Structure formats: C-alpha cells, structure tokens
C-alpha cells in the first residue's frame, strides 16, 4: 500500500523533472534571445530598416546627342510609369483590372503585358503604362498597399524633336531583352522602365549615354503607405555625344527628299565631316521609344519604299554615269589623251552585239570633255575596252568604292568593285569584254552606296583621300594625304563636271545654283534596274511613267560647290526616280543652296520642321545636364534593284539584283550569276 511518503517522493521527483525541463526551455529561449540580440543584431536591424524604408529607383537621364552647334537632336522628358514584378503579383488579371480603372489601357496594351510577362524572368519588372498624368500616378500610389507587385516609377522618356529627319542616324531606345541582360550584367538593365539604345548612335554609344541611377528613400508603414521622405540621391546623366551633323541642314534635306524613296549625303570636302545623312521615307523614333504598335510595325515592314533601311549606308545601287569620272581618270592614267574621240551613232558594236547609248540618235563626234558633260556611253565603251576593267577597278578603290568607313553606325555595306580576279574567285570563269563595257558606265556588277558616291565627290573636289566622319573631333583635323593623281587630270574632270551643270549642252542645266558668285559642278546618273530587250527597242522603249514604280530607273546626282573654292560635296539618289537630271539634281541643288546660304547668313529657303513641334530651343531645357534599326525581325525581300537591302538589326543576308546585263548576251555574254552573287544590271540611260 502506497504511503504518504511515497506520494510525496513521486511528486517531488516529477516536479523536479518538470522544473528541470522548464528551466532548460527558458535557458534555451534566453540563450537564443541573447544570440539574436547580440550576434544577429545587425542583420535584423537591417531587415527592420528594410521593412520601414522603401527604396524607389530614379532612372538616369540618357546623355544628350547634339549637333555640331550644340542643338539637341535627342533629349529627355520627365514622365511617370507603372511596372509590375511578375513573381510579386498575387493575381495578375485582378491587378490589371484595378490599374485599368485608373489608367486607360486598351486590350492590346493588356495583351502586350501578358505576353511580356511570359517571356521574362519573374524578378524582372514589366512596364504596364508610361507617360501617365500626375493625377493617375498619385491615385496609383494611394492604392499601392492593395496592389502587390506594382511599382510606380518616375523617370525620363527619350525624345527626338525632329522625329523622322534623324531616325536612321540616331536610332531609338527600347526595353532591354534577354540577350541584352545576358551580355551585360549591369543591374541597371533590370530597373522597370529602363531603356537601352537600339539601332544607330543610340546603340553604338549606349553605355556612354546611360548614366547612373538615383534613389528616393521613403518611410512606409506595415501596409506600404508612404509616411515621409528620408532623402534622395539624384541620378547622374549620361555623357553627351556631339555630332558633325548640322541640324538645320539635316531637317531641310529630309524635307526636300520627302515623298520619295531617296537618300542624301552632304560632306565637308576638306575634313570629311558629314553635315547631313538623310534617308526617306523613315520612321518616327518617338514611336519606338514608347513601344511601337503591331499595326504600325507591320506597315513599316510592308512598305516597298523600305522606311527601315538606312539607304546612305545600306542601300546598294549601280552608280551609273556618276562613275564616269573614275573611268575618265583611269583612262588618263593609262595614257589616253583628252583628244581621244569617237563618233557616237547611238550604238557600239562588240562582235555581233550592239551596246546602246542613252541618246538614241547618238552624240556625233565626241572627245573626252564632251563625252563626260553629255554623258556619252559610246565613248566610255570604246575607252574601257582599251584600258581594261582592272585599271578601272584600281582607280575606283582610290575613290572609296568597295570600302567600309569607320563610322559609329551599324550594318554599313561595302558595295562591289568587280575585276578579273574577283570574277575568277567568285565564278571560276574569265572576265568578258562585254562586262568591261557595262562596268565603264557604272552598271553590270558595280554596286555602291550613296555615302561612297559622296566620298568620291569630296575626293574629286579636294584631291585628297578624305574619309567621312560623324563624331565631332575635339582637335582640328589634319589634312588628308593627297590622292596621288596629277592635278591636270583632276582639272579636266572638274571642268567637265562644271560643264554638266553650266554648259548649254550639259545634262543637268536645271541644277544651276542661284546664289551670287557661286557655281555648282556635278554629274548626273540614271541606272536601270531591268533589262531592255531588243524587241522593246524596236517597238519603242517604255518610259519610266509607263512602268510600275519598282521597275523604274534609279536617279543619281553627285555635286560639289562652290567650284571657285570647294566646300561641300553632295550625293543624292532617288530610288526609281526616273532620271538623274530630272529627279535627283534639283534636290542636290536645293540642299547645297541651303548649306551655302546658311554659311553666308543669307535668307534660308522655307522648310517644314519634322516631328513634334514642341522642341526646346536650348540644351538647358531638356531635363539633362551636359551632353543607329528597327526592332528584331527581318524586312521583306526587296525587288530586283539593289536599293532593297535589309534593315540593319534585321539583316537577313545580302540583297540581290537579278536583271541580266544588256549588251552581254551574244558572243561576249556574261554567264548567269550564282543565286547568292551580286548579279549585273542593264546598261544605263546616261544622265
């Protein structure tokens, strides 16, 4: 039988065990509390601070892009945006619906957000809306505690005051994609609303233009409501980039080319500085900066005039009769005298095949000077047969043909200067005399960019190996080395170019410049993009107006002024414009008139300003201190003309020209080119 002493002993033992367990628990808790308060103090202090303080990033302003006089071509405007972090959003559709009650979003906007969220990592913010007004921005901030994963962002929007006029040179900005993030570990790319350069100078100088982000520290309560500001670190704007472009001339040139698929390049003949680099039609880079709509993008891709193509650098054209200055100099170097003459009857016979002159009835008696300013094809057929294509090719390369220049723009093309060795390597066949005749008038396999035509003209005017420049140098540019061509040879070509414009028999009389004491020199060119058959010649060659646009001749004109003291060189190419004298030369005349009148402080021609009209008048008004293709995808295949090269970021291979060379069918026929080759095009119509 259990006694009272036994019960007391059992109770005492159990009480001791329970007390010991309690003491162990309390000791463990005390030790843990001591460890947390002493050894983990910094960690939990920081976490508590993070819960109390919210860091709101301030996107940096991109550096300004300025013209040669300091006028901003690309600047920044403050805007307000909304972004969502996918992994922090509890219910995406409910969140978007709540945002939609405050910020106007259509179904396309919502679908774009859904698609983007599927493509990016969960931690990467996705922009929902941009450029929202202050009232909507504050309303979102009030409801922020109930909108998990939503980030209001105060930033800057890239703005291009002159819009389309500068699109191909500057490019645009857009949200970084996964490839951008993989290549560049900079955490700034993950900030909601941050943009990187895409195409043009924006892409080339992206890291220089980016700047460094700032931050706004605010105190929030447990529900995320802002209580007060704790301090602000301002962003650091990117560095400026100053170009050689003249903004007024650039805008005027773009306006003058408006309505045509065309390109124009204006250079300083002594320094090589590019004052204008225009391509029309173009796109508005402001549309891309905010995220271009699918409908607009498809219309750009489907336009046969190729608005996404930077034609001065990427368009390939037969240089046509503008190439005859090079052939003339090659002939002089080979010992052909200026008195070398032929009788042009409108046709030149090679074996049993006739090569036609652009003037159907012929030019009659023609010497070197007359051949050039009247653009007689027959004289060049005869002379090129005597000197050979290799002599022509060597001279062409001295004038910049077949060369890529060191410019900070992507996807420049080198064109093609064919010779006997090139054909042997490319086709494994010998060069034919008929191909030499085609090359002598800038046709056949010959291909050049408008930039190369401008460089050729600048070198002719200066006698030096001028190279194009787009970034304004900090120090004066040293004179380029001489071409090594006798001055008397250059004088013959320059005089002939002067006669082209100013002689009663010249092919570009319409291009005479109307400024006192100023004479313009130039050369017309008209390059075919289709073959004219013998049957069509017998029945009557169709005029350009009778043909579909894509089968009309290209119009070219190269020029420099003043002849008395050369300063500016200009090349204009009008895609399928018909004739160099009718379409291209008036444009070049007006552009050079504007440049010279501006230089001499004369009244400037009236012109339309491209893009939005609220452009600030000085860099200080741009929201930043201090101081290039379309989005991914391939442009559709181009027509037979070589102007249809793919856009820079979307290049899908070299553009092709497929028309057979007129005058190369018969005993001296050129072989059919391989599918991936630059095929020859027909003989030119001269000027």
């Amino acid at each position: 039988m259990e006694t009272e002493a036994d019960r007391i002993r059992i109770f005492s033992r159990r009480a001791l065990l329970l007390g010991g367990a309690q003491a162990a628990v309390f000791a463990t808790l005390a030790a843990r509390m001591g460890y947390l308060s002493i050894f983990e103090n910094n960690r939990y202090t920081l976490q508590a601070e993070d819960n109390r303080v919210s860091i709101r990033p301030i996107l940096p302003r991109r550096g300004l892009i300025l013209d040669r006089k300091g006028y901003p071509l690309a600047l920044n405007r403050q805007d307000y945006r909304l972004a969502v972090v996918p992994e922090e959003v509890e219910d995406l559709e409910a969140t978007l619906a709540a945002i939609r009650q405050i910020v106007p979003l259509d179904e396309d906007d919502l679908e774009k957000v859904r698609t983007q969220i599927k493509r990016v990592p969960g931690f990467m913010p996705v922009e929902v809306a941009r450029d929202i007004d202050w009232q909507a921005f504050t309303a979102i901030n009030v409801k922020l505690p109930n909108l998990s994963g939503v980030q209001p962002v105060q930033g800057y929007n890239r703005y291009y005051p002159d819009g389309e006029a500068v699109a191909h040179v500057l490019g645009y900005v857009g949200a970084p994609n996964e490839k951008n993030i993989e290549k560049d570990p900079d955490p700034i790319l993950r900030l909601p609303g941050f943009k990187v350069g895409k195409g043009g100078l924006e892409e080339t100088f992206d890291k220089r233009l980016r700047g460094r982000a700032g931050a706004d520290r605010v105190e929030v309560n447990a529900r995320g409501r802002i209580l007060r500001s704790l301090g602000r670190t301002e962003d650091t704007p990117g560095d400026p980039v100053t170009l050689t472009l003249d903004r007024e001339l650039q805008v005027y040139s773009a306006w003058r080319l408006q309505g045509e698929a065309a390109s124009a390049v204006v250079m300083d003949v002594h320094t090589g500085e590019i004052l204008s680099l225009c391509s029309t039609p173009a796109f508005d880079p402001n549309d891309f900066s905010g995220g271009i709509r699918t409908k607009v993008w498809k219309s750009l891709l489907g336009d046969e005039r190729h608005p996404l193509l930077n034609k001065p650098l990427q368009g390939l054209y037969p240089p046509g009769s503008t190439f005859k200055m090079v052939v003339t100099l090659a002939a002089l170097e080979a010992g052909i005298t200026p008195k070398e003459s032929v009788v042009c009857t409108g046709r030149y016979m090679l074996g049993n095949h006739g090569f036609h002159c652009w003037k159907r009835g012929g030019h009659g008696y023609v010497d070197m000077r007359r051949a050039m300013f009247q653009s007689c094809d027959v004289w060049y057929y005869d002379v090129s047969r005597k000197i050979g294509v290799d002599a022509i090719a060597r001279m062409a390369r001295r004038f910049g043909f077949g060369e890529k220049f060191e410019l900070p723009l992507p996807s420049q093309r080198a064109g093609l200067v064919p010779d006997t060795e090139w054909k042997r390597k490319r086709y494994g066949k010998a060069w034919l005399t008929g191909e030499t005749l085609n090359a002598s008038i800038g046709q056949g396999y010959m291909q050049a960019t408008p930039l190369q035509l401008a460089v050729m003209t600048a070198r002719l005017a200066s006698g030096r190996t001028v190279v194009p420049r787009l970034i304004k140098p900090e120090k004066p540019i040293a004179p380029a080395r001489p071409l090594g061509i006798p001055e008397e040879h250059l004088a013959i070509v320059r005089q002939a170019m002067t006669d082209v414009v100013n002689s009663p028999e010249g092919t570009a009389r319409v291009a005479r410049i109307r400024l006192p004491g100023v004479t313009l020199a130039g050369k017309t060119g008209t390059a075919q993009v289709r073959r004219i058959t013998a049957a069509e010649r017998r029945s009557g060659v169709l005029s350009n107006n009778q043909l579909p646009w894509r089968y009309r001749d290209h119009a070219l004109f190269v020029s420099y002024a003043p002849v008395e003291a050369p300063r500016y060189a200009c090349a204009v190419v009008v895609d399928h414009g018909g004739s160099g004298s009718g379409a291209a030369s008036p444009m070049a005349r007006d552009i050079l008139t504007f440049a010279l009148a501006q230089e001499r402080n004369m009244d400037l021609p009236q012109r339309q300003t491209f893009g939005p009209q609220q452009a600030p008048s000085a860099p200080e008004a741009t929201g930043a201190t201090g101081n290039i293709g379309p989005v991914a995808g391939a442009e559709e295949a181009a027509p037979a003309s070589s102007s249809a090269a793919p856009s820079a970021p979307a290049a899908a291979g070299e553009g092709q020209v497929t028309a057979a060379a007129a005058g190369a069918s018969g005993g001296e026929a050129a072989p059919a080119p391989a599918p991936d080759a630059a095929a020859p095009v027909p003989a030119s119509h001269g000027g």
Side-chain angles (χ1 to χ4, degrees):
M1 182 176 181
E2 186 178 30
T3 63
E4 183 67 22
D6 293 333
R7 287 197 296 271
I8 292 173
R9 188 172 56 256
I10 293 172
F11 176 79
S12 298
R13 187 167 57 248
R14 289 176 177 176
L16 182 62
L17 291 173
L18 182 59
Q22 288 177 335
V25 169
F26 282 118
T28 302
L29 290 175
R32 179 61 178 169
M33 290 178 65
Y35 175 79
L36 292 177
S37 60
I38 297 173
F39 297 101
E40 295 288 325
N41 177 64
N42 290 338
R43 174 187 171 189
Y44 288 103
T45 299
L46 291 175
Q47 288 186 1
E49 185 70 8
D50 287 342
N51 291 333
R52 182 181 72 91
V53 178
S54 177
I55 306 296
R56 306 291 174 90
I58 301 173
L59 294 180
R61 291 160 287 179
R62 287 182 74 82
L64 301 179
I65 300 179
L66 307 173
D67 85 334
R68 63 187 301 108
K69 298 175 183 176
Y71 190 94
L73 301 174
L75 46 93
N76 309 289
R77 293 191 304 182
Q78 191 175 51
D79 73 338
Y80 301 99
R81 313 169 192 172
L82 289 180
V84 296
V85 181
E87 65 183 14
E88 297 179 7
V89 177
E90 296 177 358
D91 186 336
L92 177 62
E93 294 304 322
T95 300
L96 293 177
I99 294 174
R100 196 174 183 181
Q101 292 178 358
I102 302 172
V103 180
L105 298 172
D106 58 29
E107 193 56 40
D108 287 343
D109 296 326
L110 298 179
E111 188 58 33
K112 188 175 179 180
V113 173
R114 297 186 189 105
T115 303
Q116 190 70 8
I117 285 177
K118 293 177 182 178
R119 292 178 178 175
V120 303
F123 61 84
M124 186 173 176
V126 174
E127 189 172 274
V128 176
R130 66 183 298 111
D131 204 19
I132 62 178
D133 58 42
W134 173 251
Q135 185 176 359
F137 188 73
T138 54
I140 287 290
N141 275 278
V142 170
K143 294 191 174 184
L144 205 57
N146 301 319
L147 297 174
S148 58
V150 176
Q151 292 184 354
V153 181
Q154 178 181 337
Y156 295 92
N157 187 29
R158 198 60 156 171
Y159 177 65
Y160 305 92
D162 297 308
E164 296 181 9
V166 296
H168 291 103
V169 177
L170 302 189
Y172 63 100
V173 295
N177 53 35
E178 292 183 40
K179 290 183 179 179
N180 295 134
I181 295 173
E182 288 175 3
K183 292 180 180 179
D184 191 346
D186 192 342
I188 196 173
L189 269 67
R190 294 184 170 86
L191 293 180
F194 183 75
K195 304 293 184 183
V196 295
K198 298 192 174 184
L201 297 170
E202 290 279 22
E203 179 178 342
T204 304
F205 293 106
D206 181 59
K207 291 188 177 181
R208 176 174 171 180
L209 293 167
R210 276 183 196 174
R212 293 192 298 275
D216 195 4
R217 298 177 68 250
V218 294
E219 185 177 9
V220 297
N221 61 16
R223 296 181 60 84
R225 185 182 296 276
I226 297 176
L227 301 178
R228 63 192 177 100
S229 175
L230 299 177
R232 181 183 178 95
T233 303
E234 295 295 340
D235 65 294
T236 303
D239 295 329
V241 174
T242 302
L243 310 183
T244 61
L245 290 183
D246 183 302
R247 182 254 177 184
E248 288 291 327
L249 182 61
Q250 177 78 9
V251 172
Y252 178 81
S253 299
W255 171 80
R256 186 60 183 86
L257 300 183
Q258 204 172 24
E260 298 284 356
S263 53
V265 182
V266 180
M267 287 176 55
D268 186 306
V269 303
H270 301 294
T271 65
E273 292 179 327
I274 297 175
L275 306 175
S276 177
L277 188 75
C278 286
S279 179
T280 60
F283 57 91
D284 189 347
N286 294 301
D287 291 340
F288 283 81
S289 298
I292 192 167
R293 294 185 177 276
T294 303
K295 184 178 180 180
V296 177
W297 172 241
K298 287 183 177 179
S299 70
L300 291 172
L301 283 179
D303 192 334
E304 66 175 348
R305 299 181 304 162
H306 305 287
L308 300 178
L309 180 70
N310 187 356
K311 296 180 180 70
L313 274 70
Q314 297 171 286
L316 293 179
Y317 305 84
S321 293
T322 62
F323 190 65
K324 289 176 179 176
M325 286 88 73
V326 170
V327 181
T328 302
L329 290 170
L332 288 167
E333 188 170 74
I336 302 294
T337 69
K339 295 181 179 180
E340 184 77 18
S341 62
V342 300
V343 176
C344 173
T345 62
R347 188 170 64 166
Y348 181 84
M349 295 304 299
L350 179 65
N352 61 356
H353 187 79
F355 285 74
H356 295 272
C357 184
W358 71 270
K359 190 174 183 180
R360 192 166 186 176
H363 291 89
Y365 175 84
V366 179
D367 60 7
M368 181 181 287
R369 173 179 169 275
R370 182 178 172 85
M372 187 168 169
F373 78 77
Q374 289 202 335
S375 202
C376 175
D377 294 335
V378 169
W379 189 91
Y380 285 94
Y381 293 149
D382 185 70
V383 166
S384 66
R385 190 176 179 183
K386 295 175 180 177
I387 66 175
V389 71
D390 289 338
I392 296 173
R394 286 193 297 272
M395 184 61 70
R397 294 188 182 100
R398 290 164 74 176
F399 280 89
F401 290 98
E403 181 179 351
K404 287 185 179 181
F405 303 104
E406 293 185 7
L407 293 176
L409 292 173
S411 302
Q412 184 184 166
R413 306 180 80 184
L416 177 60
V417 178
D419 56 19
T420 55
E421 183 64 21
W422 169 82
K423 188 179 179 186
R424 187 177 295 108
K425 289 181 178 179
R426 189 64 177 265
Y427 299 115
K429 296 181 179 180
W431 185 268
L432 302 177
T433 305
E435 295 168 329
T436 300
L437 270 57
N438 274 328
S440 73
I441 57 171
Q443 295 277 173
Y445 295 107
M446 277 294 308
Q447 289 184 334
T449 64
L451 175 64
Q452 290 169 344
L453 295 175
V455 171
M456 173 197 70
T457 310
R459 292 183 179 184
L460 280 170
S462 66
R464 295 180 175 274
T465 54
V466 179
V467 293
R469 306 172 188 272
L470 194 55
I471 303 302
K472 189 174 181 181
E474 297 180 358
K475 299 179 180 179
I477 300 172
R481 61 181 176 82
L483 278 169
I485 296 174
E487 187 62 30
E488 56 269 24
H489 291 182
L490 291 172
I492 292 171
V493 172
R494 291 168 185 161
Q495 183 58 52
M497 291 179 69
T498 303
D499 292 340
V500 166
V501 177
N502 301 284
S503 168
E505 298 178 289
T507 58
R509 298 183 298 278
V510 69
R512 292 178 185 174
I513 206 161
R514 294 177 176 83
L515 288 176
V518 175
T519 306
L520 182 144
K523 182 69 186 77
T524 54
T526 302
Q528 290 177 225
V529 297
R530 69 185 185 97
R531 180 176 182 175
I532 299 176
T533 64
E536 186 179 351
R537 289 189 184 279
R538 287 192 298 269
S539 61
V541 178
L542 294 175
S543 67
N544 279 284
N545 292 334
Q546 295 173 291
L547 296 169
W549 178 81
R550 64 184 295 178
Y551 295 122
R552 297 174 187 174
D553 301 335
H554 293 314
L556 305 92
F557 188 70
V558 297
S559 56
Y560 68 88
V563 169
E564 299 77 12
R567 175 66 192 281
Y568 302 115
C570 178
V572 172
V573 178
V574 182
D575 293 13
H576 312 291
S579 74
S581 58
S585 68
M587 292 181 177
R589 174 202 64 201
D590 293 346
I591 291 170
L592 286 178
T593 298
F594 188 97
L596 290 164
Q598 184 184 40
E599 176 188 305
R600 300 174 183 210
N601 295 319
M602 302 172 68
D603 291 336
L604 299 178
Q606 293 295 317
R607 55 104 179 123
Q608 170 186 338
T609 298
F610 277 68
Q613 302 300 308
Q614 297 79 23
S617 59
E620 289 74 20
T622 65
T625 58
N627 255 29
I628 37 157
V631 294
E635 193 169 347
E636 292 183 358
S641 81
S642 56
S643 62
S647 61
E654 293 285 307
Q656 322 259 308
V657 280
T658 58
S665 60
E668 294 285 351
D676 63 342
V681 293
S684 82
H685 279 180

